[in-house]
Amino acid sequence: MKVEAHGRMVNGQTDLYALPADEEEHARLDTQHVMLLTALDGQLYPDRKRVEAALAPTPDHVRQILDVGSGAGVWTIQMAYRYPHAEVIGVDLVLPAGDRPPPDNCRFEADDVSLGMSHYQSMFDLVHCRAISHGVPDMEAFLDDIADTVRPGGVIILVDGMMQLFREDKSLMDASESYFQKVLFHGYNALKARGSGVDTCLLLRRMMENNPKLKNLGYKEIFIPIGSWYDGDGTLEDRRKWHEMGELLRHDCHGFANALRPLLLGEGYKQEWVDEWLAEAHRELDENRIRGWAVWVYFWADREDHEIAPVDPPPSPRERATTEATGEVDSIDEVVSGLSETHLEENDKASLEERRARGDLVQLWLEHSEDDDEHDPNEHEADGPEPQEAEQEGKAVSSLVGAASSTEPVVSGLPTGNPENKEDAEGSAPIFAFSV
């Protein structure tokens, strides 16, 4: 079921997933798909040998593939053609349009997977999830659910894009440098205001490492230029590839900016502000003025070959939806509260700068994160800096992580939703999150 929201059609099942579910959005997702296909040199997934081994024909059972958050269905359908001996299922809140008939071994189902997936227990040899984090309130529980849908020896793949731009030198871009980054900034805060787990994907690698149901973790980080300014190694073939990816991403950014409009208006931003930001963002993209990068990250792992019963299994999202909050600190917040540049020893500074120079961003933040039992996860709310100081601190990695760990979204020191004036709503500090 779809409903109208500020000129676009959105899903009518949950407010958590805030992007549209109409033909315009599906066209954007098709562009995004071709971009990622190019980034992986024509492959539909990373680690080709591992996936092909998991999907090799067997007389024991029919191979099955699940595409979670299938969107327009292009990845789902292409996998069905590539593996005609397998059954491929695409699941999303809204079914794709009927103008793209799937092959006989492919079908689509409408379901809210954030409420639990026990009906898919141990069914699949491959589970693929692309850009779903901002529609999932508890990524740790969701990952555990996903692991339970995979047969022992099967493969899980998760891919997401950061909701943050990076400068040409791969340092964090400030919202004052780009209107498109400004739109991302406010979109991030609007998603947080709805209870989205948009930033929890930053910790996905650690979650997968700590999940006893998974093994052999793989990881790939891809920087993609916005536009055609980057030439790669200078050869004709490499330059063509990077220009193609950059142009596809630039078109994807146009569509993503428009897709955030209903969300921003729904969270109380004034229409004249939002329309001005979007107009300027489109102008930047049209004129190819953003010399920067977007980042996409792939994670994958094998399902353990034997069943493992958790020592203290958490309640499922469906159970949580029917009970009152316990008031306990969420495990994600406990982990994130320890992420701070100030926790680094002095002899780690050189390593930190070296990783910044390489652009190894997710690994950088995760490698230097340790739980601090004496740290109050709400301490930043009580003793936080003044708004002017917060804007300056927002340019450091520590304040970025603070923004991710906070359960209360912040726009330049003010709560999101109906800021008092345009200057306060500008939001100069960079933020990071997933799901571009």
Side-chain angles (χ1 to χ4, degrees), residues 25-45 70 72-76 78 82 100 128 130 159 222 224 240-252 296 298:
E25 176 66 2
H26 284 173
R28 180 186 76 84
L29 295 176
D30 285 349
T31 300
Q32 184 183 94
H33 172 78
V34 177
M35 176 193 73
L36 293 174
L37 201 65
T38 305
L40 292 179
D41 297 320
Q43 296 298 317
L44 290 164
Y45 37 75
S70 51
V74 59
W75 189 92
T76 320
Q78 288 188 358
R82 181 163 295 189
R100 187 179 285 162
H128 172 267
R130 180 192 287 173
V159 52
I222 305 174
I224 302 178
R240 182 184 294 116
K241 173 185 174 179
W242 285 102
H243 285 191
E244 180 181 349
M245 282 194 297
E247 286 302 301
L248 288 166
L249 176 58
R250 189 168 66 87
H251 286 287
D252 184 17
W296 281 80
Y298 281 84

Side-chain angles (χ1 to χ4, degrees), residues 263-323:
L263 168 67
L264 294 173
L265 295 177
E267 289 302 310
Y269 286 87
K270 293 183 179 180
Q271 182 173 338
E272 57 266 32
W273 300 354
V274 174
D275 288 344
E276 179 186 341
W277 297 337
L278 292 178
E280 292 297 331
H282 289 310
R283 189 171 293 111
E284 284 179 347
L285 292 165
D286 284 335
E287 297 173 0
N288 213 13
R289 286 193 276 121
I290 304 178
R291 290 182 68 88
W293 308 84
V295 179
W296 281 80
V297 187
Y298 281 84
F299 303 90
W300 61 95
D302 297 332
R303 180 68 161 88
E304 270 288 357
D305 293 330
H306 58 280
E307 297 296 331
I308 298 177
V311 176
D312 186 17
S316 71
R318 290 187 190 272
E319 293 171 334
R320 295 183 187 186
T322 60
T323 58

